[in-house]
Structure formats: C-alpha cells, structure tokens
Amino acid sequence: MKSKLPFQQLAKTSLLLAAIFCLALSSGNAMQAAKDALSTCLYILLPSLFPFFVLSRMLIKSGGAALLGRICDRIMRPLFNINGNGASAFILGIISGYPVGAKTVTELYREKALSKPEAENLLCFSNNSGPLFILGAVGTGMLVNRHAGILLYIVHVLASVSVGVLLRFTIPSSSIRTLAAQRRSSRDIFTSSVEDSIITLLHVFGYVIFFAVVMQLLQDYHCIAILTHMLSAVNLPSEVTQALACGALELTTGIKMLSGATAVPLSIKLVFISAILGWAGLSVHFQVKGILSGSGLSFSKYLIGKGLHAAIAAIYTAIAIYIIKPDTPAFALPAFMIPAQNFETPFYFLILTLIILLFYTIQVTGLTGKRKRPVQKHT
C-alpha cells in the first residue's frame, strides 16, 4: 500500500516549484535586482558593517566587554535586569546598526557572559538601526531633512530602552549571571575576529541579495499590490499602505517609498518610518536568524521584541510630532544644506575596512612565517 505524501510537504514543494518558475519568467528583472543588491553590499554594507563586526568581536575576546560590564553594571541591572556584560551589545547596537547588536549578544552568550534569559531579552532591544543609516540615509538623503533624521534616531533609541525596561520583568532574578572577567590569550584575537566577521558578513550579503530578488518578484507578480489592498482596510492612503507592505519585508525599500510619497504630510511619514525602523523588516530578521543558528536563543521572542519596538517607536513619534510640529517650515532643512540624493558610506569607513584587512594580511603572513616545523625524535 502506497503512503500518501504529507500535505505540508506537498505544499512546500509546490510553492518552491512555483517560485522557481516565476524566477525563470522574470529572470531579467531578478538579475537586475540582484546586481543592485550586490552593489549595496559592496559599497555600503561592507565598509560600514565589517569594521564593527571585527572590533566588537575583539572587544569581547580581549576582555574589553567584561571591563565595560563592570563599569556599566550599576546601570544595566536596575534598568534592564541584565548584568553589565550586556552593555557592550547595547552600546554597539545603537551606534553601529543591524545586525551588529545581534552578533554581539550571540557572542557574549557563547562566551558565557550572559545567561540564556538575559541574552534573549538583550537581543530584543539591542539589534537596532544605527545613526549612519537614520541620520544620513533616511534623514538627509531620503527625507532631505536633517532635523527629521535626528528626531527619528532619538525616538529609535528611546523606544529601544523602553522595550528593555518592559521586558526586565520577564527575567527571574536567579537567572542573572554574576560578572566575571573572561580574558583569552591575545595571540589569535585579531585573526579569528576577522575570519568570524567575514563569515557573518557573507551571511548578511546572502540574505540582502536573496530578499532583493524576492521583493522584485513580489512586485512583478502583483503580490505587493494584493497586500496593499488588504492593508487599505485601515483607511490609510495607498502610498502609505504600499510602503508599509514593502517595509515589512525590507526596511530600506519601504522607507524610500514612504519618503517619496508627495501627497503624504511629513508628520504621517515620520510615524510610519519610525515604525518600519523599529520593526526592521524580514530581511534583517532572517540575517539575525542566521546569526542565532546553533546558539539555542529564541528567535520568536526576538520577533516579539521587534514588534513591540515598532509600536512604541510609532507612539513616541506621534507624541513628539504633537509637541514640535514638524510640518511647519521652521522644521525643514535649509535649501543650501540639501545634499545629493544618493547616500554613500563615509570615506573613513572604507579606509578603516582596508586597514583592518591589511593588518589581517600582515598578521596571517607573520604567523605563517614564524611557524616552526615540529622536531622529529629518532628512537
């Protein structure tokens, strides 16, 4: 008697075959989307994320995170109910951008600097968008308004802190790990940090390129339009619902669409951009899922934290808008300060990336050259 195929397996197979068929039909657009995503990876993500990956890994391995933990312990414990070792992840998370915070939390957990409940809570509010993206790309580049970028970044940080404070009550006191200096030999810190960072960055590149192609296919086959129609039930302008649908998948695309919506007031744009920044999009979430792979940390709790972050950020932005009135001309950026529309990674990040790679090459070459052959003993 032949066994029947499980419905779930049959559905997955059918869906994958349909996706492959659609990809073949739209291969031209998909290739262009992949090329654009690869350009983003090489010219923006590589110089901006790679130095932070390397330096954060070195900070943990060298014992710097433990030192920072002892300094910040009196702040982290009463505020977030997390021992001071988590301070490095929180600080790096708000100054470097996705997914450095998640990477740092995972490394701290693997180094046993955090307990599992501490790491899972810290992950919910330490993986954030950085000032480089919010102030530069969103505020100055997309909205052409420096003040709006500053407002969004302040709200983003405050919402992150609020999520941490709300989640502090979910950590049992017995789960808080005591501070302990965890130092390692400094002989291979730099080399291993660069190698680990390259592997993580390749994972990030893969998710960025894949989701760029997925977004293109969803647009080509009107899936975004269907999702937009479903969101239209909340009585929002079509430009806003389309941007929210795209932003739920990939934050940069959604924010860019919302920024270019000419019929939408700036105050409305800021509320929903703030929500998209807090949520971060499925593209970032799958990057985090790859980083968490094998660690045992809860991915579902992380998603709950990001949803909470999005809601709080939108509420805070609405309150700030009520107070400062951003639609007034006084809030706008002066004409002589309007930059080019294309946002590029600062030159010094590119230089820092090249310096790290140069030192890595020198160290690897030096270690290889100094390696001695084992002495063979004759009996």
Side-chain angles (χ1 to χ4, degrees):
M1 182 177 179
K2 294 182 180 179
S3 60
K4 295 182 179 180
L5 288 174
F7 175 76
Q8 188 176 7
Q9 183 180 356
L10 185 61
K12 286 182 179 179
T13 303
S14 302
L15 185 61
L16 288 173
L17 287 174
I20 293 172
F21 182 72
C22 292
L23 181 60
L25 292 179
S26 301
S27 57
N29 290 341
M31 287 180 62
Q32 186 58 49
K35 289 179 181 178
D36 294 341
L38 181 60
S39 177
T40 300
C41 291
L42 294 178
Y43 296 105
I44 296 179
L45 296 183
L46 174 62
S48 62
L49 290 182
F50 182 67
F52 281 107
F53 280 154
V54 175
L55 295 177
S56 62
R57 182 68 174 153
M58 292 178 66
L59 181 69
I60 295 171
K61 283 195 167 188
S62 65
L67 176 62
L68 188 62
R70 289 195 295 272
I71 296 173
C72 300
D73 191 57
R74 294 184 178 180
I75 299 175
M76 295 292 292
R77 282 180 185 269
L79 196 60
F80 304 126
N81 207 20
I82 295 172
N83 80 75
N85 288 330
S88 57
F90 178 68
I91 293 171
L92 288 170
I94 62 176
I95 66 173
S96 56
Y98 303 115
V100 176
K103 173 68 173 174
T104 309
V105 171
T106 307
E107 294 299 336
L108 286 170
Y109 176 63
R110 285 175 173 158
E111 296 289 332
K112 303 186 186 305
L114 297 169
S115 66
K116 187 175 181 179
E118 286 178 308
E120 289 179 342
N121 268 26
L122 187 60
L123 185 66
C124 292
F125 65 93
S126 291
N127 194 50
N128 302 308
S129 186
L132 178 67
F133 179 73
I134 297 178
L135 299 177
V138 178
T140 306
M142 298 181 192
L143 292 172
V144 197
N145 192 316
R146 181 185 58 181
H147 300 101
I150 294 172
L151 171 63
L152 287 171
Y153 182 65
I154 292 173
V155 166
H156 194 64
V157 174
L158 290 177
S160 173
V161 172
S162 298
V163 172
V165 172
L166 289 175
L167 292 179
R168 72 181 306 278
F169 302 103
T170 64
I171 303 179
S173 300
S174 58
S175 298
I176 304 176
R177 185 146 294 178
T178 55
L179 286 174
Q182 297 176 345
R183 299 184 62 88
R184 288 187 174 186
S185 172
S186 61
R187 183 178 62 85
D188 65 341
I189 287 178
F190 182 75
T191 304
S192 61
S193 297
V194 173
E195 291 173 352
D196 291 345
S197 300
I198 290 174
I199 294 173
T200 302
L201 202 59
L202 288 176
H203 290 166
V204 172
F205 286 0
Y207 285 113
V208 169
I209 295 171
F210 176 77
F211 270 90
V213 174
V214 169
M215 284 288 297
Q216 185 62 51
L217 292 178
L218 290 176
Q219 290 177 351
D220 288 347
Y221 292 95
H222 309 291
C223 295
I224 296 295
I226 295 173
L227 187 56
T228 301
H229 180 71
M230 293 171 61
L231 291 174
S232 63
V234 296
N235 199 24
L236 288 172
S238 60
E239 292 176 305
V240 173
T241 55
Q242 186 176 4
L244 288 176
C246 291
L249 301 174
E250 205 283 313
L251 82 161
T252 305
T253 304
I255 293 173
K256 187 181 293 185
M257 292 176 64
L258 198 52
S259 301
T262 54
V264 180
L266 178 60
S267 57
I268 301 298
K269 290 181 182 180
L270 291 178
V271 171
F272 289 108
I273 288 176
S274 190
I276 292 174
L277 286 170
W279 169 244
L282 289 181
S283 177
V284 170
H285 297 336
F286 276 96
Q287 295 172 31
V288 173
K289 186 175 178 61
I291 291 171
L292 296 181
S293 178
S295 68
L297 296 177
S298 173
F299 179 66
S300 58
K301 186 172 184 179
Y302 161 77
L303 289 179
I304 294 172
K306 296 311 294 180
L308 189 60
H309 190 168
I312 293 175
I315 293 171
Y316 283 179
T317 306
I319 295 172
I321 285 170
Y322 180 78
I323 297 172
I324 64 177
K325 310 294 183 185
D327 289 315
T328 59
F331 191 80
L333 188 67
F336 69 88
M337 295 182 66
I338 296 177
Q341 292 298 315
N342 294 328
F343 172 73
E344 296 180 356
T345 301
F347 180 70
Y348 55 82
F349 273 1
L350 179 60
I351 294 298
L352 182 57
T353 301
L354 294 175
I355 290 174
I356 289 175
L357 290 174
L358 178 62
F359 278 145
Y360 171 68
T361 304
I362 293 173
Q363 181 164 353
V364 170
T365 305
L367 290 174
T368 304
K370 293 179 180 179
R371 188 176 295 168
K372 295 181 181 180
R373 297 178 63 183
V375 179
Q376 294 182 353
K377 293 183 180 181
H378 299 280
T379 57

